[in-house]
Amino acid sequence: MGTDVGAVITEKNASGASQCLVRSATPADIPYITAIYSRFVTTSTATSEMTAPAEPEMFRRWRAVLDRGLPYLVAELEGYVVGFCYASQFRPREGYRYTVEDSIYVRPDCIGHGVGRLLLSDLIGQCREKGCHSMVACILGVNPSSIALHTTLGFQQVGQLPDAAYKFGEWLHLLIMQRLL
């Protein structure tokens, strides 16, 4: 995946030469989304998924989000997709139709450079415009950067499920955060 994009964000944003663009994801982004997500599946506890899904499955998931009328976004910097996020219905029952759950993944070399904040801020705004009332973040395992990002954007911890998932030989807690839109 080319250059140290994290350095590009830091250096060029300070001079105003380069900006991270948040836009709707397209089918052409699926290989990059798949690569970013696959790394999280295989190396972290940020997701409970054990086997990285292939591009056709990631395309199906992208399509399912759009079919529900919800946003699926990517962050692009100098031609590179450096992160993605989307909203999905929190629970399948009709009574939950105004509550969405966010999912956000940023390339490791871009974490801490504002990509996640740009993505999640845009996602919050688009969900608000679509009439969503509440956004939930379900943060698995030890993930201080995700907790900090969500806290910065107004999410509050509303619950925790101990030993909610098992991955890499350990039990992981699930932190639940929420923000009213």
Side-chain angles (χ1 to χ4, degrees):
M1 286 205 167
T3 186
D4 179 5
V5 181
V8 171
I9 294 168
T10 303
E11 293 167 15
K12 292 200 174 178
N13 272 353
S15 68
S18 199
Q19 292 214 353
C20 191
L21 167 71
V22 174
R23 60 173 176 76
S24 294
T26 69
D29 298 320
I30 298 301
Y32 306 103
I33 290 168
T34 303
I36 291 168
Y37 185 65
S38 293
R39 181 172 174 140
F40 278 92
V41 171
T42 60
T43 65
S44 81
T45 59
T47 173
S48 63
E49 203 148 7
M50 306 296 258
T51 304
E55 286 180 29
E57 174 59 16
M58 293 302 285
F59 179 86
R60 186 199 65 72
R61 294 177 188 187
W62 167 77
R63 187 79 249 164
V65 168
L66 297 184
D67 287 347
R68 292 201 70 84
L70 294 169
Y72 199 122
L73 309 172
V74 294
E76 182 181 316
L77 182 69
E78 296 191 352
Y80 293 94
V81 172
V82 296
F84 70 96
C85 72
Y86 59 91
S88 55
Q89 187 171 341
F90 173 61
R91 305 267 317 232
R93 304 279 192 261
E94 187 178 356
Y96 293 108
R97 68 188 174 279
Y98 297 109
T99 299
V100 292
E101 179 179 347
D102 77 88
S103 294
I104 182 166
Y105 296 92
V106 175
R107 277 184 29 183
D109 60 328
C110 297
I111 292 173
H113 296 284
V115 174
R117 184 179 177 90
L118 287 171
L119 279 166
L120 190 53
S121 294
D122 201 320
L123 187 72
I124 289 167
Q126 287 193 34
C127 287
R128 183 184 300 122
E129 289 173 9
K130 291 183 176 296
C132 299
H133 176 72
S134 171
M135 185 175 283
V136 174
C138 295
I139 302 171
L140 186 62
V142 178
N143 196 335
S145 61
S146 185
I147 293 168
L149 170 64
H150 284 86
T151 300
T152 299
L153 292 175
F155 286 76
Q156 296 181 346
Q157 182 175 336
V158 293
Q160 184 170 332
L161 302 174
D163 297 347
Y166 189 79
K167 187 172 181 180
F168 299 143
E170 66 178 308
W171 285 103
L172 305 169
H173 69 270
L174 180 69
L175 177 68
I176 303 169
M177 300 182 80
Q178 181 183 31
R179 176 197 161 124
L180 297 180
L181 302 177

